[in-house]
Amino acid sequence: MTEIIILGAGNVGYHLANKFIETPDVKLVQIYNRNIESIRGFKKTTPITDNLTHLKKADIYIICVTDEIIPQIAKAIKHKEALIVHTSGSTPLDVLNFHTFYGVFYPLQTFSKNRKINFNTVPICIEVNKPEKLVLLENLGKKISNHVYHINSEQRKEIHKAAVFVNNFVNHLYYLGEQICKNSSIDPKILYPLIRETGKKIETLTPFEAQTGPARRGDIKTIQNHLNNLQSNNKEIYKLLSQSIADTYGQKL
Amino acid sequence: MTEIIILGAGNVGYHLANKFIETPDVKLVQIYNRNIESIRGFKKTTPITDNLTHLKKADIYIICVTDEIIPQIAKAIKHKEALIVHTSGSTPLDVLNFHTFYGVFYPLQTFSKNRKINFNTVPICIEVNKPEKLVLLENLGKKISNHVYHINSEQRKEIHKAAVFVNNFVNHLYYLGEQICKNSSIDPKILYPLIRETGKKIETLTPFEAQTGPARRGDIKTIQNHLNNLQSNNKEIYKLLSQSIADTYGQKL
């Protein structure tokens, strides 16, 4: 039985806590959050606290707070034999180096409170400072996911950057596409099959092979046509991404 | 039985031809392509030609060629009672106005030769110049898809533009994310669950609600960190999209 404590109940902490509560061989000993109200819902199953001096003992402390305050929260943990991990894609392992055993447990996924996640498919990127704690963390990952990767801090930073491109920026393009539809009184749902297929396509073709559209073809007339009635910011995005696609395929725009 | 002829066997024509061949109550009378070699594979089931003066008679001629040569191909069709449609998202209905009956049959999807499409879910956007041909075209759409929409030329142009954002640009971001992983010796497949979830998420949350990440949070430190080791073109893309996200949520970068 691995005993764990989760510190911070933002999007990541909230989903991890819910997952670990239902996971066999893991005991969620406590949840800490600076705002006790937002973890009140866990009270039935798990002790909660908003006081860092009341932290219980556990094998692994999982810190799920904003990057900047990870060290500050970690300092409150007084149990020297425990493994202290953070869950941040962009924060190096070393911010925890005042502890004896520390590591990273980074679930590579987009989490929103209102959407349940199937953890089995979520890649868990782990890293530890001392090899003797690797199996402990790896086993914790394997209890919730079929995809546990050993990823060092430098690689994790690159993965996180790639994730910004394929998630944050992609979702924003969905938003812009939706706005374009709404401005012409078209139900944005008309785009959903295309969005789904775009995501599924790259499981059988590489993104390089999967690319279609005016910039890929060097179809300047259509591009100009689109640019003519785009607003300033979206026009810049359209131009820059079209140019980047054209460059990728040696097309002249 | 609706008799149709497909002109042009690029990505769209190829997939439409294959779909109509297997569709009951539709007879694919002929396929035209200027390069006969690339339609040789259809010969077993359907007459093929590379000669526009040899076009047979049909109820509907579906033009699936590059936007610029749509009128030129359409002029070769001599059957005055037939309905002549193109399949282009960005071409107005009126480029066919030298015919008596003309229209648009625009499947809103990304087509690549090597990937089979489930047409049932593909939105078909139709438009005709004369109402008496609407039912004919609508029924053809309904034979292959559960989603047939009446969309005028102005709306279709906007949908096509939105499609460039949610498909062409999104796929290019997949490509850039993949490159970032490869440059750090990480298998890009690690991104796939995130890509899948990003696409599925907006079926339960709006893209506005679904947004996460540093620009959404106004996390300048992480953004700066990512920008530090991005190459010139990708850096511009990162900056512009992050700024656009930040503007959407009133964050200052």
Side-chain angles (χ1 to χ4, degrees):
Chain A
M1 178 71 75
T2 309
E3 299 197 332
I4 64 170
I5 291 177
I6 286 183
L7 300 101
N11 290 335
V12 174
Y14 173 84
H15 282 287
L16 278 180
N18 274 307
K19 182 63 190 173
F20 282 125
I21 285 167
E22 63 175 48
T23 301
D25 299 326
V26 178
K27 188 178 177 190
L28 183 57
V29 173
Q30 191 180 33
I31 304 174
Y32 157 85
N33 199 51
R34 78 181 150 182
N35 173 7
I36 196 86
E37 288 313 319
S38 54
I39 52 173
R40 196 72 80 186
F42 287 106
K43 211 180 163 183
K44 265 189 237 166
T45 55
T46 311
I48 60 173
T49 184
D50 60 356
N51 188 332
L52 284 171
T53 66
H54 292 177
L55 288 183
K56 298 182 187 243
K57 209 177 158 207
D59 301 312
I60 308 177
Y61 293 78
I62 305 177
I63 302 174
C64 309
V65 300
T66 316
D67 296 358
E68 291 74 46
I69 60 167
I70 291 170
Q72 167 194 334
I73 297 293
K75 275 182 188 128
I77 302 163
K78 303 299 179 195
H79 304 280
K80 292 296 167 201
E81 286 309 302
L83 174 64
I84 322 294
V85 300
H86 71 65
T87 52
S88 163
S90 53
T91 305
L93 174 69
D94 280 350
V95 303
L96 299 172
N97 65 9
F98 46 85
H99 276 289
T100 314
F101 302 108
Y102 51 97
V104 180
F105 188 86
Y106 170 50
L108 175 55
Q109 191 48 281
T110 170
F111 297 95
S112 293
K113 284 237 166 94
N114 295 324
R115 186 165 162 89
K116 199 168 156 65
I117 287 289
N118 172 10
F119 269 97
N120 288 339
T121 64
V122 175
I124 308 282
C125 304
I126 63 165
E127 187 181 10
V128 288
N129 74 317
K130 296 221 173 107
E132 58 257 51
K133 293 286 187 184
L134 186 61
V135 171
L136 177 70
L137 195 60
E138 190 171 11
N139 283 344
L140 186 71
K142 283 180 176 170
K143 285 187 171 94
I144 61 170
S145 166
N146 298 324
H147 305 277
V148 178
Y149 296 85
H150 297 189
I151 298 286
N152 66 38
S153 290
E154 202 45 54
Q155 287 177 314
R156 193 177 58 257
K157 187 173 146 185
E158 295 302 308
I159 291 174
H160 184 249
K161 201 163 63 181
V164 168
F165 278 81
V166 306
N167 166 264
N168 300 171
F169 294 167
V170 160
N171 183 71
H172 189 59
L173 292 174
Y174 296 162
Y175 172 76
L176 297 180
E178 196 183 88
Q179 294 306 108
I180 291 170
C181 285
K182 282 182 177 170
N183 290 342
S184 293
S185 309
I186 300 151
D187 183 347
K189 285 199 172 57
I190 201 170
L191 298 175
Y192 288 3
L194 178 61
I195 286 172
R196 263 199 302 274
E197 170 65 10
T198 306
K200 278 162 63 184
K201 202 173 178 181
I202 65 158
E203 297 184 16
T204 57
L205 300 177
T206 66
F208 185 86
E209 294 165 333
Q211 189 67 57
T212 57
R216 167 72 184 89
R217 292 193 303 271
D219 177 352
I220 296 169
K221 201 179 147 197
T222 298
I223 291 174
Q224 207 49 58
N225 205 343
H226 285 165
L227 285 172
N228 282 342
N229 68 342
L230 271 171
Q231 287 154 338
S232 58
N233 191 38
N234 293 354
K235 190 178 271 192
E236 286 312 305
I237 290 171
Y238 190 106
K239 269 189 200 169
L240 194 57
L241 286 169
S242 292
Q243 190 60 57
S244 182
I245 294 171
D247 291 346
T248 304
Y249 295 91
Q251 295 283 6
K252 282 228 162 66
L253 296 189
Chain B
M1 179 70 76
T2 309
E3 299 197 332
I4 65 168
I5 290 176
I6 287 182
L7 299 103
N11 290 335
V12 175
Y14 173 85
H15 282 286
L16 278 180
N18 275 306
K19 182 62 190 174
F20 283 126
I21 285 167
E22 64 176 47
T23 302
D25 299 326
V26 178
K27 188 179 176 188
L28 182 57
V29 173
Q30 193 180 31
I31 304 174
Y32 157 84
N33 200 52
R34 80 182 149 182
N35 173 7
I36 196 86
E37 288 313 318
S38 55
I39 52 174
R40 197 71 81 186
F42 287 106
K43 212 180 163 183
K44 265 189 235 166
T45 55
T46 311
I48 60 173
T49 184
D50 60 357
N51 187 333
L52 284 170
T53 66
H54 292 177
L55 288 182
K56 297 182 188 246
K57 210 177 158 204
D59 301 311
I60 307 177
Y61 293 78
I62 305 177
I63 301 173
C64 309
V65 300
T66 317
D67 296 357
E68 290 75 46
I69 61 167
I70 291 170
Q72 166 194 335
I73 297 292
K75 275 181 187 131
I77 302 163
K78 303 301 180 193
H79 304 280
K80 292 296 166 199
E81 287 310 302
L83 174 64
I84 323 294
V85 300
H86 72 65
T87 52
S88 164
S90 53
T91 305
L93 175 69
D94 281 350
V95 302
L96 298 172
N97 66 7
F98 45 86
H99 276 289
T100 313
F101 302 106
Y102 52 97
V104 180
F105 189 87
Y106 169 51
L108 175 55
Q109 192 47 279
T110 169
F111 296 96
S112 293
K113 284 239 166 93
N114 295 326
R115 186 165 162 88
K116 201 168 155 63
I117 286 290
N118 173 10
F119 269 97
N120 289 338
T121 63
V122 175
I124 308 282
C125 304
I126 61 165
E127 186 181 11
V128 288
N129 75 315
K130 297 223 174 103
E132 58 256 51
K133 292 287 188 183
L134 186 59
V135 172
L136 178 70
L137 195 60
E138 190 171 12
N139 282 345
L140 186 71
K142 284 179 177 170
K143 286 187 171 94
I144 61 170
S145 166
N146 298 324
H147 305 278
V148 178
Y149 296 85
H150 297 189
I151 298 285
N152 66 37
S153 290
E154 202 45 53
Q155 287 177 313
R156 193 176 59 257
K157 187 173 145 185
E158 294 303 308
I159 291 174
H160 184 248
K161 201 163 65 184
V164 167
F165 278 80
V166 305
N167 166 263
N168 299 171
F169 294 167
V170 160
N171 182 71
H172 189 58
L173 292 174
Y174 296 162
Y175 173 75
L176 297 180
E178 197 183 87
Q179 295 304 110
I180 291 170
C181 284
K182 282 182 178 170
N183 290 342
S184 292
S185 308
I186 300 152
D187 184 347
K189 284 199 172 59
I190 201 171
L191 299 174
Y192 288 4
L194 177 61
I195 286 173
R196 262 199 304 273
E197 170 64 11
T198 306
K200 277 162 66 185
K201 201 173 180 182
I202 65 159
E203 298 185 15
T204 56
L205 301 176
T206 66
F208 185 87
E209 294 165 334
Q211 189 66 58
T212 57
R216 167 72 185 88
R217 293 193 302 271
D219 177 352
I220 296 170
K221 199 178 149 198
T222 298
I223 292 174
Q224 207 50 57
N225 206 342
H226 285 165
L227 284 173
N228 283 343
N229 68 342
L230 270 171
Q231 286 153 340
S232 58
N233 191 39
N234 294 355
K235 190 178 272 192
E236 286 313 305
I237 291 171
Y238 190 105
K239 270 189 199 168
L240 194 58
L241 286 170
S242 292
Q243 190 60 56
S244 182
I245 294 171
D247 292 346
T248 303
Y249 296 90
Q251 294 283 6
K252 282 228 163 64
L253 295 190

